[in-house]
Amino acid sequence: MAETRHDFDPTAHGTDLTAMANAIRALSMDAVQKANSGHPGMPMGMADVATVLFSQFLQFDPQRPDWADRDRFVLSAGHGSMLLYSLLHLTGYEDMPIEELANFRQLGSRTAGHPEYGHAAGVETTTGPLGQGLGNAVGMALAERMLAARFGKELVDHYTYCLVGDGCLMEGISHEAISLAGHLRLDKLIVLFDDNAISIDGGTDLSCSDDQIARFRACGWETQQVDGHDPAAVAAAIAAAQTSDKPSLIACKTVIGFGAPNKQGTAATHGAPLGDAEIAAARSELGWEAAPFVVPDAILAAWRAVGAKGAGLSAAWDARLAAAPAADQAELKRRLSGELPEDLEQIIAAFKQEIVAEAPSVATRVASQKVLNALVGALPELVGGSADLTGSNGTKAAGMQVVTRDDFAGSYIHYGVREHGMAAAMNGMALHGGILPYGGTFLVFSDYCRPSIRLAALMQQRVVFVMTHDSIGLGEDGPTHQPVEQLAALRAIPGLKVFRPADAVETAECWELALRSEGPSVLALTRQNLPTVRSEHAAENYCSWGAYILASAASQRQVTLLASGSEVQIALQAREHLQNEGISAAVVSMPSWEIFLEQPAHYRDEVLGPGALQVAVEAAAPFGWNRWVGLDGTVVGMPGFGASGKYQELYEHFGITAEGVVKAVKAWL
Amino acid sequence: MAETRHDFDPTAHGTDLTAMANAIRALSMDAVQKANSGHPGMPMGMADVATVLFSQFLQFDPQRPDWADRDRFVLSAGHGSMLLYSLLHLTGYEDMPIEELANFRQLGSRTAGHPEYGHAAGVETTTGPLGQGLGNAVGMALAERMLAARFGKELVDHYTYCLVGDGCLMEGISHEAISLAGHLRLDKLIVLFDDNAISIDGGTDLSCSDDQIARFRACGWETQQVDGHDPAAVAAAIAAAQTSDKPSLIACKTVIGFGAPNKQGTAATHGAPLGDAEIAAARSELGWEAAPFVVPDAILAAWRAVGAKGAGLSAAWDARLAAAPAADQAELKRRLSGELPEDLEQIIAAFKQEIVAEAPSVATRVASQKVLNALVGALPELVGGSADLTGSNGTKAAGMQVVTRDDFAGSYIHYGVREHGMAAAMNGMALHGGILPYGGTFLVFSDYCRPSIRLAALMQQRVVFVMTHDSIGLGEDGPTHQPVEQLAALRAIPGLKVFRPADAVETAECWELALRSEGPSVLALTRQNLPTVRSEHAAENYCSWGAYILASAASQRQVTLLASGSEVQIALQAREHLQNEGISAAVVSMPSWEIFLEQPAHYRDEVLGPGALQVAVEAAAPFGWNRWVGLDGTVVGMPGFGASGKYQELYEHFGITAEGVVKAVKAWL
């Protein structure tokens, strides 16, 4: 690969790289001091490295922050947010005036304590929970390779730079991320390690003796070590990394809090304001005479010149795009906009029609795979994968080619047993744009990737988690593999949609809703076969109401049976039994609480039947169900963890049966 | 260190190691076939390694499975459970007769799909979720070193062996575990890696290119590679590992499903029965003529002789214990029994008395540290730590010495930024016995260690998670660091107690309850100061009721305000405002839902006041609160994720204030 090194000469502006870096230092220590809260140490320590990267390498255009072929810069060590905010201000992002920096960490500012995606242009992802940014960066670098394979390097050809700290590299997710990146040889991923040997508790030698260089090499990375305060050495290392055929680690030996003469090199600079006296001493040490939040003209001019170079780069890309085949132009624009192809609705409708005609008994994980088989042709932006459960999750649709280090033209990723790395990479792909990622594991292992699911919800990224084996219905694998509390735990995450379809028809409807959703979705799918329960009105997407009456009460409704997924059939059987005993019950299928909550109150009342007794049936912890059944209702669910055995016996054992529901109803009536 | 290699000669019993290993293979393939479910590949592949380990090295006594100084054997690759069950049966564990193996994966058997702690003697920990066993093993090996430092090697001197697969080593938790073990140089930890290069999706080369040997070396481990089907080589490697001054990895090159001639070496043997034809072929290949579940006499005799050696080992230990100082004997027995010192109650009472006298305004995280300061002298089994947030979590009590690789006499662990590894190690320490571990991080990062918290709950291990910064009350760090859904998500886990104390008095009470609990606890603690709200009846542990009336209604109760933690003071203020407006309200402090649920119905009714309107106040997702407030009640909580800003402003912004509560009450009344 070729270097993409810029010509940039700060002396033309009457300054130098060190002074430019000192601007970052001054802004960072002043903003933290004013907020009386924050982390000055990292921005001050990595200011030199960041200055070299931004001034000589990073291809970006502050006037067009969403230019698709920009290099990505991910601040995985998100606590050092003032580094990023300083760079955005200095290089001329319009929504980052100096007032925003002075308003650091205040309610309503764009300068949150940790970088928040969507708050300010140039923030590529939300970081702070350590290691997540590294996982995102792997996804972004993978997206770049896949889109380049599809659209060519004329249109897609950029680097992903990621700044990590010691903490990021201690987190387990870092292993999953670097191992996957090394395996796929993501050669345009360059990680800058702030190797300052300080963590919050003190020196990293309190808790860590890893040889990070050897560790990355063991995972197939190119590695270099440089003095992070030597601009020429840093520049040479980045240039070398650009030409490697592997992902690159550059361990930058730095002094945390560089420039604060009495505190630098210690944990004292990590997460607290330096204090007025030390800031004065640092100003003297750095030769920085400007007042707080003032950047001397020459230095600001130099930084703005760095930002201004981007206009030419993005304009050149516009020209290349205009010269590309019209079909490619349209398709790339469609994908980047997130717009779905028009035939999605017909595909889903045709699929449902077929299901209704066949009325199969089929696991929803299998139904999900059939939906994917039907969709992938029309939605080339779909990129699937699984954390080593491809066959079990049904995530590999017919015709999908596997992505390998030698060929990125495929659309299926073997993520390995790396649920956390997978979810973070999916977020990264969605953030990159042009890709709609979905990935599978068992529902119980949502716990392994929960921090990334949370960030998908916080950032409202369109990613789809395909989580199968969603209850004791998985049988013999036993309690370690049987989700019980996971449905509740996921429903508790704001901004996440949890779908639990009852049959193949609902599975198709939930997939459609997940694909059309602004944010992330979880599809909870069964291992075991389920009958087709939804045959009427299959032309409409009933799941789009969150919950609906699947079977009405034969006469004046006395009981409303609420169920999701595999328990809907049990509710239907219970309804029959109750009817035989003269008790009139309706069955409500409730694939999504979140969507049902968005419906108007009168519709919710119609569905729940406030005059009736509400009984919920779900093979999961009852936690949360009182939202729908009230204190008077009851829940037929799991009293605790599951057990190992045949699933039919487990349902009997835990009383999650039609008889169990009838008994519960009669006990309350 | 010295080798602990046994004399064992199978020829004395008329058999050999290969035939002994074939017994494991036959039992495993037959049990999986009969269950029509399970994983034969790993047990067949690792049978030779396990046979060498158990017959020549492992110090254990099947007649005394709880002998404290036994070597630990952890099957981290828990799907290979038939390996363990076979070994337990063959070596003569009484509760593992052949019938249990024939009943593999059936409801009510001791032979669950994955090894379940407490179901059968000899199962040291519950495994199945990959990588967890490795994390447990690190905790066990650490516990051994710490107890040896306290009680001497005459009483505590054993190895921890852990069998891991490719999947364990792909999981992020493996990085945290091996990095911590390498840092602490846990030289009596020996990991046997089933290096079969097969995962569920196919060859590991689909997803992984790691050089595991280099990776472990980078983390400070001794490493060896052997042919896992060469008993002499395996024995030599284990002997060498025993004498290393570092933790050891032995990568055992194996053939998955070894002995099944048409399927071995492929993913087909991993997770499905081999089928009758292939089993017949394997019998022929292995020269195994016995019927299913029959072990030829000579082979069984040899295995039983292996088990019988343990009696002498455990008896010798008894003698050493009897010769130890009486105080040491008593203290070791007390610690192993889990019995708490008698003065715990007085210490807590004295602490509370002092708090009531001072009535401080103090963060509950600080109160927690003060409780610990008071406790550590009396409870030497307490081992604290933090995932690099020692000062923030307040986990390092006065006088606690830090454990280092050179000195294990301390009781405080710098776990590094490794929440998941910390929690798994804590589980391992608790399982080992003799130690009562607690560890800290921010509440939001409970997500990072959730799989281990779940296992603590499933195994009912006494571990205490000290989770501070428990709401938007942490302020400027913003939404990535502000827990919102974590309280609900933790409350949803069966068998876990979640405590959220309202002041220093309640903090002491919750600590006492956590220490006395059979299972795991989470203490959710504030960053911000809280007034002392509990001054009356401080001699009693009111938190032991889960919830209680902190302030009664002045007249006939119209409203019950339910709150936890930092919102209790808000509820108290709201009560005053309401009273001024002629509305009579009681305030209920609700530190633990789980304990409140265990109270008799009449007490719960008395507290909740069914005739009154229930209003909950908690700076968290309302999810789950309808359990207490019903459909008619309301929740003043977080509508979604938090924000970055001063915490006082955030409370105002989200309406979690006395005024907000009053408004909610008036809207409903």
Side-chain angles (χ1 to χ4, degrees):
Chain A
M1 282 176 304
E3 285 180 30
T4 59
R5 188 162 174 174
H6 309 169
D7 288 327
F8 177 71
D9 180 12
T11 59
H13 302 275
T15 186
D16 58 27
L17 290 176
T18 300
M20 290 173 73
N22 285 342
I24 298 172
R25 294 190 171 98
L27 291 171
S28 297
M29 65 185 182
D30 288 341
V32 171
Q33 187 66 25
K34 179 153 188 277
N36 195 26
S37 158
H39 302 77
M42 194 280 260
M44 296 176 78
M46 283 296 277
D48 295 313
V49 172
T51 300
V52 171
L53 175 66
F54 272 65
S55 66
Q56 295 182 34
F57 294 94
L58 198 77
Q59 304 214 340
F60 69 112
D61 180 1
Q63 305 306 309
R64 284 177 60 187
D66 61 348
W67 167 39
D69 200 32
R70 70 192 180 277
D71 289 339
R72 293 339 189 240
F73 174 70
V74 174
L75 188 77
S76 190
H79 52 274
S81 55
M82 271 310 301
L83 179 79
L84 181 55
Y85 300 146
S86 299
L87 288 162
L88 297 178
H89 169 69
L90 291 166
T91 56
Y93 282 77
E94 277 174 15
D95 68 354
M96 196 56 76
I98 195 73
E99 292 75 22
E100 284 291 336
L101 274 63
N103 219 11
F104 181 49
R105 288 184 156 237
Q106 302 310 304
L107 187 58
S109 74
R110 294 198 185 92
T111 47
H114 294 81
E116 299 286 340
Y117 177 78
H119 286 213
V123 175
E124 299 282 4
T125 179
T126 296
T127 51
L130 293 175
Q132 296 290 334
L134 178 57
N136 297 159
V138 170
M140 291 175 186
L142 177 52
E144 193 270 351
R145 293 286 72 196
M146 295 174 75
L147 291 171
R150 165 65 185 84
F151 293 99
K153 61 177 282 200
E154 291 294 303
L155 299 185
V156 184
D157 183 17
H158 52 267
Y159 287 94
T160 302
Y161 298 95
C162 182
L163 194 165
V164 304
D166 288 294
C168 292
L169 299 188
M170 287 198 228
E171 291 286 3
I173 190 175
S174 70
H175 172 58
E176 301 185 21
I178 71 172
S179 179
L180 182 61
H183 174 71
L184 290 174
R185 213 169 266 178
L186 299 176
D187 51 8
K188 300 180 78 176
L189 173 61
I190 298 174
V191 170
L192 302 158
F193 167 33
D194 179 17
D195 186 9
N196 63 28
I198 293 294
S199 70
I200 293 176
D201 277 2
T204 52
D205 58 357
L206 282 175
S207 60
C208 194
S209 303
D210 294 350
D211 177 344
Q212 299 290 2
I213 293 289
R215 178 191 168 206
F216 274 75
R217 274 197 197 140
C219 290
W221 285 56
E222 193 74 54
T223 60
Q224 300 177 75
Q225 290 184 84
V226 296
D227 174 353
H229 302 297
D230 176 346
V234 171
I238 295 174
Q242 287 188 336
T243 60
S244 167
D245 63 352
K246 300 175 185 171
S248 274
L249 172 78
I250 303 174
C252 307
K253 197 73 206 159
T254 62
V255 176
I256 190 171
F258 185 94
N262 307 300
K263 294 188 172 180
Q264 65 184 8
T266 76
T269 67
H270 169 81
L274 295 178
D276 289 329
E278 182 69 2
I279 288 177
R283 282 190 141 68
S284 166
E285 175 87 7
L286 298 169
W288 188 266
E289 293 171 7
F293 303 107
V294 173
V295 180
D297 290 345
I299 297 173
L300 187 60
W303 271 117
R304 289 288 153 92
V306 166
K309 286 184 303 182
L313 297 169
S314 66
W317 182 81
D318 285 342
R320 293 197 298 277
L321 180 63
D328 278 10
Q329 290 185 42
E331 176 64 4
L332 181 58
K333 284 178 185 167
R334 183 189 70 77
R335 285 215 207 171
L336 292 171
S337 74
E339 194 188 315
L340 294 165
E342 282 176 15
D343 44 357
L344 172 61
E345 194 169 346
Q346 291 110 286
I347 292 168
I348 296 288
F351 178 89
K352 290 198 289 180
Q353 207 167 11
E354 208 171 295
I355 292 291
V356 170
E358 290 175 16
S361 176
V362 64
T364 47
R365 63 176 172 141
V366 174
S368 167
Q369 173 148 26
K370 288 177 192 285
V371 173
L372 288 170
N373 291 346
L375 285 176
V376 285
L379 274 86
E381 62 266 50
L382 278 178
V383 170
S386 168
D388 197 39
L389 290 167
T390 294
S392 299
N393 298 146
T395 35
K396 188 156 178 278
M400 270 189 163
Q401 297 301 310
V402 172
V403 169
T404 70
R405 60 167 64 170
D406 301 315
D407 184 359
F408 288 90
S411 57
Y412 193 78
I413 320 280
H414 284 292
Y415 285 106
V417 190
R418 304 186 186 102
E419 298 84 4
H420 206 174
M422 173 177 75
M426 286 164 63
N427 288 351
M429 283 187 255
L431 288 160
H432 181 280
I435 283 176
L436 203 170
Y438 68 88
T441 185
F442 288 161
L443 180 60
V444 78
F445 299 138
S446 60
D447 283 356
Y448 271 76
C449 48
R450 198 170 158 84
S452 300
I453 298 175
R454 180 179 213 252
L455 284 167
L458 182 58
M459 294 189 278
Q460 284 296 290
Q461 290 301 298
R462 185 159 56 177
V463 294
V464 184
F465 299 100
V466 178
M467 295 187 157
T468 69
H469 296 58
D470 72 348
S471 76
I472 50 168
L474 67 84
E476 292 88 343
D477 274 347
T480 54
H481 284 55
Q482 290 162 356
V484 170
E485 72 280 21
Q486 279 68 22
L487 283 174
L490 291 167
R491 285 169 179 154
I493 298 179
L496 175 68
K497 289 197 176 74
V498 180
F499 294 100
R500 192 162 184 256
D503 69 0
V505 171
E506 283 198 1
T507 302
E509 293 179 349
C510 292
W511 255 115
E512 185 179 5
L513 293 166
L515 294 175
R516 293 192 188 284
S517 175
E518 296 286 307
S521 303
V522 169
L523 296 174
L525 304 172
T526 66
R527 174 178 191 243
Q528 74 272 29
N529 285 346
L530 303 180
T532 301
V533 294
R534 174 78 185 294
S535 51
E536 289 174 28
H537 302 286
E540 282 185 72
N541 189 328
Y542 275 24
C543 292
S544 69
W545 301 325
Y548 64 93
I549 297 174
L550 177 66
S552 306
S555 52
Q556 173 73 32
R557 185 178 353 168
Q558 294 168 275
V559 180
T560 303
L561 301 176
L562 305 162
S564 80
S566 42
E567 286 68 68
V568 170
Q569 57 170 325
I570 292 174
L572 288 169
Q573 292 158 13
R575 175 176 169 278
E576 295 292 317
H577 292 321
L578 289 168
Q579 206 155 292
N580 293 341
E581 303 201 32
I583 300 169
S584 180
V587 170
V588 169
S589 178
M590 205 160 184
S592 166
W593 293 20
E594 299 81 19
I595 296 181
F596 187 55
L597 262 171
E598 292 168 359
Q599 304 308 309
H602 70 85
Y603 175 74
R604 295 210 307 261
D605 281 349
E606 185 192 318
V607 169
L608 297 171
L613 168 71
Q614 280 84 29
V615 176
V617 201
E618 190 171 70
F623 195 91
W625 268 105
N626 291 92
R627 174 69 186 81
W628 307 114
V629 304
L631 290 180
D632 297 327
T634 187
V635 187
V636 177
M638 290 292 291
F641 291 110
S644 173
K646 294 188 177 68
Y647 81 86
Q648 300 91 338
E649 293 179 21
L650 295 175
Y651 270 91
E652 287 288 338
H653 177 73
F654 291 109
I656 304 175
T657 58
E659 294 69 33
V661 174
V662 169
K663 211 170 125 188
V665 167
K666 286 161 86 175
W668 279 82
L669 274 185
Chain B
M1 282 177 302
E3 286 181 28
T4 59
R5 187 164 175 173
H6 307 169
D7 289 327
F8 176 72
D9 180 9
T11 60
H13 302 276
T15 186
D16 59 26
L17 290 175
T18 299
M20 291 173 73
N22 285 341
I24 297 171
R25 294 191 171 99
L27 291 171
S28 297
M29 66 184 180
D30 288 341
V32 171
Q33 187 67 26
K34 181 154 186 279
N36 195 27
S37 156
H39 302 76
M42 194 278 260
M44 297 177 78
M46 284 297 278
D48 296 313
V49 172
T51 299
V52 169
L53 175 67
F54 272 65
S55 67
Q56 296 181 35
F57 294 94
L58 198 77
Q59 303 215 341
F60 70 111
D61 181 0
Q63 305 305 310
R64 285 177 59 186
D66 61 348
W67 167 39
D69 200 32
R70 69 191 180 280
D71 288 341
R72 294 334 190 245
F73 174 69
V74 174
L75 188 76
S76 190
H79 52 275
S81 55
M82 273 308 303
L83 178 80
L84 181 56
Y85 300 147
S86 299
L87 288 161
L88 297 177
H89 168 70
L90 292 166
T91 57
Y93 281 78
E94 280 175 12
D95 69 353
M96 196 57 74
I98 195 74
E99 292 75 21
E100 284 290 339
L101 274 62
N103 220 11
F104 180 52
R105 290 184 156 237
Q106 303 309 305
L107 187 59
S109 74
R110 295 199 186 91
T111 46
H114 293 81
E116 299 285 341
Y117 177 78
H119 286 215
V123 175
E124 299 282 6
T125 179
T126 295
T127 51
L130 293 175
Q132 296 290 334
L134 178 57
N136 298 159
V138 170
M140 292 176 185
L142 177 53
E144 195 269 352
R145 293 286 72 196
M146 295 175 74
L147 291 170
R150 165 65 185 81
F151 293 100
K153 61 178 279 197
E154 291 294 303
L155 300 185
V156 184
D157 184 16
H158 53 266
Y159 287 94
T160 302
Y161 299 95
C162 182
L163 193 165
V164 303
D166 288 294
C168 292
L169 299 189
M170 287 197 229
E171 290 286 3
I173 189 176
S174 69
H175 172 58
E176 301 185 23
I178 70 172
S179 178
L180 182 62
H183 174 71
L184 290 173
R185 215 170 264 178
L186 299 176
D187 52 8
K188 300 181 79 177
L189 173 62
I190 297 174
V191 170
L192 302 158
F193 167 33
D194 179 17
D195 185 10
N196 63 27
I198 293 294
S199 70
I200 292 177
D201 277 2
T204 51
D205 58 358
L206 282 175
S207 59
C208 194
S209 304
D210 293 350
D211 177 343
Q212 298 290 2
I213 293 289
R215 176 191 168 204
F216 275 75
R217 273 197 199 141
C219 290
W221 286 56
E222 192 74 55
T223 59
Q224 300 177 77
Q225 291 184 82
V226 296
D227 175 352
H229 302 296
D230 177 345
V234 171
I238 296 174
Q242 286 188 334
T243 60
S244 168
D245 63 351
K246 300 175 186 170
S248 274
L249 172 78
I250 304 175
C252 307
K253 196 73 208 159
T254 62
V255 176
I256 191 170
F258 184 94
N262 307 301
K263 293 187 173 182
Q264 66 184 7
T266 75
T269 69
H270 170 82
L274 295 178
D276 289 329
E278 182 70 1
I279 288 177
R283 282 190 140 70
S284 165
E285 174 88 7
L286 298 169
W288 187 267
E289 293 171 5
F293 302 107
V294 173
V295 180
D297 290 347
I299 296 173
L300 187 60
W303 270 116
R304 291 288 152 92
V306 166
K309 287 183 303 185
L313 296 169
S314 66
W317 182 80
D318 286 341
R320 293 197 299 276
L321 180 63
D328 278 9
Q329 291 185 43
E331 177 64 4
L332 182 57
K333 284 178 184 167
R334 182 189 72 77
R335 285 217 209 170
L336 292 171
S337 75
E339 195 187 314
L340 293 166
E342 282 175 14
D343 43 358
L344 172 60
E345 195 169 345
Q346 291 110 285
I347 293 169
I348 296 288
F351 178 88
K352 290 198 289 181
Q353 208 166 12
E354 208 170 295
I355 291 293
V356 170
E358 291 175 14
S361 177
V362 65
T364 49
R365 63 178 173 140
V366 174
S368 168
Q369 172 148 26
K370 287 176 192 285
V371 174
L372 287 169
N373 290 346
L375 286 175
V376 286
L379 275 87
E381 61 267 48
L382 279 179
V383 170
S386 168
D388 196 39
L389 289 167
T390 293
S392 298
N393 299 145
T395 36
K396 188 155 178 277
M400 272 191 160
Q401 297 301 309
V402 172
V403 170
T404 70
R405 60 168 61 171
D406 301 315
D407 185 359
F408 289 90
S411 57
Y412 193 79
I413 320 279
H414 284 292
Y415 285 106
V417 190
R418 304 186 185 102
E419 299 84 4
H420 205 174
M422 172 177 77
M426 287 165 63
N427 288 350
M429 283 188 253
L431 288 159
H432 180 281
I435 283 175
L436 204 170
Y438 69 87
T441 184
F442 288 161
L443 180 59
V444 78
F445 300 138
S446 60
D447 283 356
Y448 272 77
C449 50
R450 200 170 157 84
S452 300
I453 298 175
R454 180 177 212 250
L455 284 167
L458 181 58
M459 294 190 280
Q460 284 295 290
Q461 290 302 298
R462 186 160 53 177
V463 294
V464 184
F465 300 99
V466 179
M467 294 185 158
T468 68
H469 296 59
D470 72 347
S471 76
I472 50 167
L474 66 83
E476 292 88 344
D477 273 348
T480 55
H481 283 54
Q482 291 162 355
V484 170
E485 72 280 21
Q486 279 69 21
L487 283 174
L490 292 167
R491 285 170 179 153
I493 299 178
L496 175 69
K497 289 196 175 74
V498 180
F499 295 101
R500 191 160 186 258
D503 68 1
V505 171
E506 283 198 0
T507 303
E509 294 180 349
C510 292
W511 255 114
E512 184 177 9
L513 293 166
L515 294 174
R516 292 193 189 284
S517 175
E518 296 284 308
S521 303
V522 168
L523 296 175
L525 305 171
T526 66
R527 173 178 191 244
Q528 74 273 31
N529 285 346
L530 303 179
T532 301
V533 294
R534 174 79 185 293
S535 52
E536 289 176 28
H537 303 284
E540 282 185 72
N541 188 328
Y542 275 23
C543 292
S544 69
W545 302 325
Y548 64 93
I549 297 174
L550 177 66
S552 306
S555 51
Q556 172 74 33
R557 186 183 347 172
Q558 293 166 276
V559 179
T560 304
L561 301 176
L562 305 162
S564 80
S566 41
E567 285 68 68
V568 170
Q569 57 168 326
I570 292 173
L572 289 169
Q573 292 160 11
R575 176 177 168 275
E576 296 293 317
H577 291 322
L578 289 168
Q579 208 154 292
N580 292 343
E581 304 200 31
I583 300 168
S584 179
V587 171
V588 170
S589 178
M590 207 161 182
S592 166
W593 292 20
E594 300 80 20
I595 296 181
F596 186 55
L597 262 172
E598 292 168 0
Q599 305 308 309
H602 69 84
Y603 175 74
R604 295 209 307 260
D605 280 350
E606 185 190 318
V607 169
L608 297 172
L613 169 71
Q614 281 83 30
V615 176
V617 200
E618 192 171 67
F623 195 91
W625 267 106
N626 292 92
R627 174 69 186 82
W628 308 114
V629 305
L631 290 180
D632 297 328
T634 187
V635 188
V636 177
M638 290 292 291
F641 291 110
S644 174
K646 293 189 177 68
Y647 81 88
Q648 300 90 337
E649 293 179 20
L650 295 175
Y651 271 91
E652 287 288 336
H653 177 73
F654 291 110
I656 304 174
T657 58
E659 294 69 34
V661 174
V662 169
K663 210 171 127 190
V665 167
K666 287 161 84 175
W668 280 83
L669 275 184

